[in-house]
Amino acid sequence: MESAELFDAGKKGRGLRATKELNAGEVVFAEPSFSAVVFDSLATQVCHSCFRHQANLHRCAQCKFAHYCNRTCQTACWDEHKQECGAIRKIGKAPSESVRLAARVLWRIHKDTGIVSDSQLVSVDQLEDHVADLPEEDGKKLKIDVHSFLEYWSYGRKQHSVEDISHIFGIIKCNGFTLSDQKGLQAVGVGLFPNLCLVNHNCWPNCTVILNHGKIELRALEKIAEGEELTVSYVDFLSLSADRQKKLKENFHFDCTCEHCSQHIKDDLMMAAAESEGNKLSADTVKEVTAFSKECLEKIEMARVDRDYQEVVKLCRECLQKQENVLADTHLYKLRVLSIASEVLSFAQSFAEAAGLARRMVEGYKKLYHPNNAQLGMAIMRAGITHWHAGQIEVGHGMICKAYRILMFTHGPNHAITRDLESMRRQTELELKMFKQNEQGYHAMKDAALKK
């Protein structure tokens, strides 16, 4: 924690600020989880130690619930799993991920206290819980979780009051961080990172968080001055300021007063009508197409759930046709349709159509997202790969290079996805040379590779 320190952030409570000038891409700090668990739905598909998504995992012979890559991962996790293992055997089944995480947190507190290293700035039990602010439905769910916890908690060990257990659940609900797999593409679990919990929110933050080799890394997105507060975004920026504020209030119990929310920055772009020469669009036309898009997106989502991808493509094309020359390419509903359509068409190997839609999506994203935003980098990467598969090698290579530059800031050179992207960058560079030397031969090779 040489680059950050705890300070009083006024109405926001505690916060972290830089103790020296930081450059874009610099790691402010790295932190292992205090405790973490795999999601219930992925318990047999993801290693409970390193959180890698793997095939043919080895199952714990005793509880038959925990799964590991190999003996090394199982041994590394045993200290944390052994009490859990006994508790699962005692009740005959594994409880929900929230109950398992609460128990792991308490077992860790009993073993090591709430502070496990000199670099940890606050004890886990001193984190905010906001239990008193929970709405009625969440309060009922909390009581159910507490009841399940009491059944799960090993008999004869230190007992806790309902208030103490509720406090731990509240901490997890407010501060739990979603863990991703080794590629950073799928959410696979949830963990508690005490120092990360101290970083306050901003809708246009100066830092980002990434999971890398089992630790979270707080990385600077831009140059940060000494003494400047370090911030991350708790929500995706691609929502209207009022919607972001509502989500933050419901989930994190505070009113966001950042500059982008207070001044509604970029809200106009997210709801913008298309620019038309000569004929001015009527407000009723824009309103009608916006309503149609909202309804269509609901149908698209239902078709996606049913895996009816032909219907997804059909609905997307209808919606895009209706939106054409009415909604701008920065409009949230249009961006959503462009994203889904390009993804599904690419999966169906309709690469030329998918590439055109992906390019429009990326141009919209570039006008809305922070230039070093990880979501933007991933979107440009996907668009670059789609263009590459479509045989548009020059555009694809250019996009992959742009994505690589962004992800070097957000993920760093050692992350699996950055290393994969570096390999793609080299491969497309070689193919680009081949394309310039023999365009006809290149396309023949590409077609053969795609058929294979």
Side-chain angles (χ1 to χ4, degrees):
M1 296 299 293
E2 293 177 359
S3 301
E5 65 181 2
L6 192 62
F7 81 112
D8 182 353
K11 290 182 179 179
K12 292 190 285 186
R14 295 172 296 196
L16 291 185
R17 63 186 174 194
T19 56
K20 63 175 185 178
E21 185 177 89
L22 300 165
N23 294 314
E26 190 170 343
V27 177
V28 185
F29 65 81
E31 181 183 19
S33 69
F34 185 85
S35 291
V37 294
V38 173
F39 287 146
D40 299 337
S41 59
L42 297 170
T44 62
Q45 302 169 46
V46 172
C47 177
H48 290 221
S49 178
C50 68
F51 293 87
R52 292 174 68 87
H53 206 291
Q54 298 275 40
N56 304 317
L57 292 169
H58 300 278
R59 186 173 67 172
C60 173
Q62 296 185 55
C63 69
K64 296 180 173 51
F65 171 73
H67 286 71
Y68 303 98
C69 297
N70 48 40
R71 182 68 66 181
T72 302
C73 278
Q74 187 169 7
T75 302
C77 193
W78 176 242
D79 198 41
E80 194 167 15
H81 175 60
K82 62 184 176 183
Q83 309 235 42
E84 174 184 76
C85 188
I88 291 171
R89 282 182 285 141
K90 173 177 171 283
I91 66 170
K93 62 178 182 179
S96 69
E97 62 221 25
S98 57
V99 172
R100 288 188 288 116
L101 182 54
R104 282 196 169 202
V105 168
L106 278 172
W107 281 320
R108 188 85 191 267
I109 288 173
H110 291 169
K111 180 178 177 291
D112 299 319
T113 74
I115 298 181
V116 295
S117 70
D118 292 339
S119 62
Q120 189 179 322
L121 297 174
V122 295
S123 176
V124 165
D125 53 5
Q126 292 177 335
L127 296 171
E128 291 288 341
D129 66 10
H130 290 288
V131 169
D133 301 321
L134 291 176
E136 186 178 350
E137 280 302 310
D138 287 347
K140 288 178 181 177
K141 186 180 182 305
L142 175 63
K143 288 180 180 178
I144 293 170
D145 283 341
V146 170
H147 177 76
S148 298
F149 178 90
L150 290 170
E151 181 186 4
Y152 177 65
W153 189 248
S154 297
Y155 178 80
R157 300 199 176 275
K158 182 179 178 182
Q159 299 302 301
H160 293 275
S161 67
V162 170
E163 289 75 18
D164 287 344
I165 300 167
S166 298
H167 176 57
I168 296 297
F169 276 110
I171 288 170
I172 291 168
K173 181 172 173 56
C174 291
N175 300 283
F177 179 77
T178 301
L179 304 175
S180 59
D181 63 5
Q182 66 271 30
K183 295 291 186 182
L185 300 176
Q186 183 183 13
V188 297
V190 61
L192 205 57
F193 299 83
N195 287 340
L196 178 62
C197 296
L198 300 170
V199 183
N200 286 318
H201 165 84
N202 192 301
C203 290
W204 199 260
N206 55 20
C207 293
T208 190
V209 183
I210 195 72
L211 186 73
N212 196 3
H213 298 295
K215 293 183 179 182
I216 62 96
E217 292 178 349
L218 186 74
R219 305 181 71 93
L221 290 177
E222 57 194 37
K223 184 167 276 192
I224 300 173
E226 181 181 346
E228 187 178 343
E229 182 176 10
L230 304 170
T231 58
V232 295
S233 182
Y234 296 177
V235 295
D236 186 6
F237 181 70
L238 282 198
S239 295
L240 295 175
S241 53
D243 293 334
R244 293 197 306 271
Q245 286 177 314
K246 182 183 178 185
K247 188 178 287 188
L248 290 163
K249 185 68 173 177
E250 288 175 353
N251 295 328
F252 302 100
H253 312 286
F254 69 85
D255 296 307
C256 183
T257 57
C258 77
E259 183 183 13
H260 278 69
C261 280
S262 302
Q263 298 181 25
H264 309 290
I265 296 173
K266 304 209 177 190
D267 278 8
D268 55 342
L269 285 174
M270 293 185 197
M271 285 285 112
E275 294 181 5
S276 58
E277 295 179 10
N279 297 327
K280 186 174 173 64
L281 289 167
S282 70
D284 287 341
T285 300
V286 176
K287 187 176 179 181
E288 178 194 334
V289 173
T290 301
F292 174 85
S293 300
K294 187 177 180 182
E295 290 176 15
C296 201
L297 278 165
E298 291 171 2
K299 293 176 185 175
I300 289 168
E301 196 54 44
M302 288 172 63
R304 284 183 87 191
V305 170
D306 294 337
R307 299 190 176 189
D308 187 352
Y309 298 123
Q310 284 187 325
E311 181 67 9
V312 170
V313 171
K314 175 176 163 289
L315 289 167
C316 284
R317 284 172 175 157
E318 287 175 3
C319 195
L320 287 169
Q321 188 175 12
K322 191 90 170 174
Q323 291 172 341
E324 197 64 31
N325 299 321
V326 178
L327 303 184
D329 279 0
T330 55
H331 194 289
L332 292 177
Y333 293 162
K334 195 167 188 179
L335 284 172
R336 182 67 182 144
V337 179
L338 287 169
S339 174
I340 295 169
S342 60
E343 179 186 340
V344 175
L345 285 165
S346 183
F347 180 74
Q349 296 196 9
S350 299
F351 294 118
E353 185 180 357
L357 299 178
R359 193 187 307 192
R360 291 172 65 186
M361 177 192 71
V362 162
E363 289 306 310
Y365 279 0
K366 283 160 71 174
K367 293 174 183 175
L368 297 174
Y369 274 126
H370 186 290
N372 286 338
N373 182 281
Q375 299 274 55
L376 174 62
M378 296 291 284
I380 296 173
M381 179 189 75
R382 287 193 292 269
I385 293 168
T386 304
H387 281 79
W388 177 24
H389 287 326
Q392 299 173 35
I393 185 66
E394 290 183 276
V395 177
H397 176 69
M399 284 184 162
I400 286 169
C401 289
K402 286 177 185 174
Y404 182 72
R405 284 195 290 271
I406 294 172
L407 295 183
M408 280 291 285
F409 288 126
T410 61
H411 290 61
N414 297 318
H415 195 278
I417 204 161
T418 319
R419 292 202 303 269
D420 284 352
L421 197 52
E422 166 66 3
S423 297
M424 279 184 231
R425 189 172 70 88
R426 289 176 180 171
Q427 188 171 344
T428 53
E429 191 171 5
L430 288 172
E431 288 192 23
L432 185 56
K433 288 179 182 176
M434 187 188 299
F435 171 80
K436 288 179 177 178
Q437 289 168 0
N438 183 354
E439 185 176 341
Q440 189 175 355
Y442 168 78
H443 285 301
M445 179 207 73
K446 196 74 179 175
D447 289 343
L450 287 172
K451 283 175 184 176
K452 186 177 178 181

